[in-house]
């Protein structure tokens, strides 16, 4: 017992010295975005029948381009000045690029004007597409997704173009509000 008593005193002494020389700070954690998981709901094949993404500001949609004429439309309701950021990628990112869906994405304003498109500037797969735009008006913004070369999003023009596959599964990430994490240039 005599041996344990000095050890306990030494330990207490070291803890007290540590407390005297070190100050503890409590800091707030950074904010985190949690994606709302959404599964594609057909029919969403036209501008007039988009799948509404609601109840959150960040979405992850699991979907597919199922035929050569398939175009998928989604809509989000946002206020003017809100960041809309979209990224679409093939669900099989480790397959060779010739075996991945080659999607393109477009963004339509509430008045029906195609304001931005993208092909191959996204993250997560060889042919991923992505865009960011600050909403210029309040209302229902539509996101269109098709296979490469259908820049009119009408189901015509993307057949057998030689880049990736014309049909396949994809993941669409949508940020419609909240805090932005990208730089945006509405002029391009």
């Amino acid at each position: 017992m005599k041996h344990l008593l000095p050890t306990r005193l030494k330990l207490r002494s070291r803890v007290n010295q540590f407390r005297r020389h070190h100050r503890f700070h409590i800091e707030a954690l950074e904010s985190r975005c949690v994606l709302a998981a959404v599964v594609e709901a057909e029919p969403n094949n036209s501008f007039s029948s988009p799948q509404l993404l609601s109840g959150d500001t960040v979405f992850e949609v699991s979907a597919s381009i199922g035929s050569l004429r398939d175009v998928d439309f989604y809509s989000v309701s946002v206020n003017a000045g809100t960041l809309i950021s979209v990224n679409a990628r093939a669900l099989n990112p480790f397959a060779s690029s010739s075996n991945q869906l080659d999607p393109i994405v477009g963004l339509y304003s509430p008045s029906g004007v195609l304001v931005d498109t993208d092909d191959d500037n996204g993250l997560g797969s060889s042919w991923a597409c992505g865009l960011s735009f600050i909403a210029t008006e309040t209302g229902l913004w539509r996101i269109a997704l098709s296979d490469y070369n259908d820049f009119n999003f009408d189901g015509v023009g993307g057949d057998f173009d030689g880049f990736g596959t014309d049909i396949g599964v994809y993941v669409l990430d949508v940020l419609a509000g909240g805090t932005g994490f990208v730089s945006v240039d509405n002029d391009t």
Side-chain angles (χ1 to χ4, degrees):
M1 274 288 235
K2 291 181 182 179
H3 186 270
L4 292 177
L5 187 58
T7 304
R8 285 186 183 168
L9 289 176
K10 283 182 183 178
L11 181 60
R12 284 185 187 160
S13 173
R14 287 183 183 157
V15 168
N16 289 334
Q17 286 176 357
F18 181 81
R19 287 181 182 161
R20 279 192 298 256
H21 297 293
H22 299 286
R23 293 185 182 186
F24 296 98
H25 300 278
I26 298 174
E27 297 177 359
L29 295 175
E30 70 275 1
S31 61
R32 303 278 173 117
C33 287
V34 177
L35 299 173
V38 177
V39 176
E40 178 187 17
E42 296 284 356
N44 67 338
N45 301 321
S46 70
F47 183 85
S48 61
S49 63
Q51 179 177 347
L52 179 63
L53 303 177
S54 64
D56 210 331
T57 59
V58 184
F59 306 92
E60 182 178 75
V61 181
S62 299
S64 67
I65 296 296
S67 73
L68 294 176
R69 301 286 177 242
D70 192 7
V71 179
D72 293 337
F73 284 87
Y74 303 92
S75 61
V76 291
S77 182
V78 299
N79 294 321
T82 301
L83 174 68
I84 302 170
S85 184
V86 178
N87 187 76
R89 65 189 185 280
L91 194 58
N92 56 343
F94 300 110
S96 69
S97 60
S98 62
N99 291 321
Q100 293 181 23
L101 175 67
D102 184 5
I104 59 169
V105 67
L107 182 65
Y108 288 86
S109 71
S111 56
V113 175
L114 181 61
V115 296
D116 202 359
T117 61
D118 184 66
D119 173 43
D120 298 344
N121 288 312
L123 302 171
S125 66
S126 296
W127 307 110
C129 57
L131 58 84
S132 292
F133 194 85
I134 296 176
T136 54
E137 58 186 295
T138 297
L140 200 61
W141 287 74
R142 288 173 175 81
I143 300 159
L145 193 131
S146 188
D147 68 313
Y148 173 74
N149 211 19
D150 182 12
F151 288 98
N152 293 322
F153 301 98
D154 59 5
V156 179
D159 304 341
F160 308 110
D161 51 45
F163 299 102
T165 63
D166 293 311
I167 61 173
V169 292
Y170 66 88
V171 174
L172 176 69
D173 296 320
V174 178
L175 168 70
T179 56
F181 52 82
V182 295
S183 74
V184 177
D185 181 2
N186 278 6
D187 296 328
T188 58

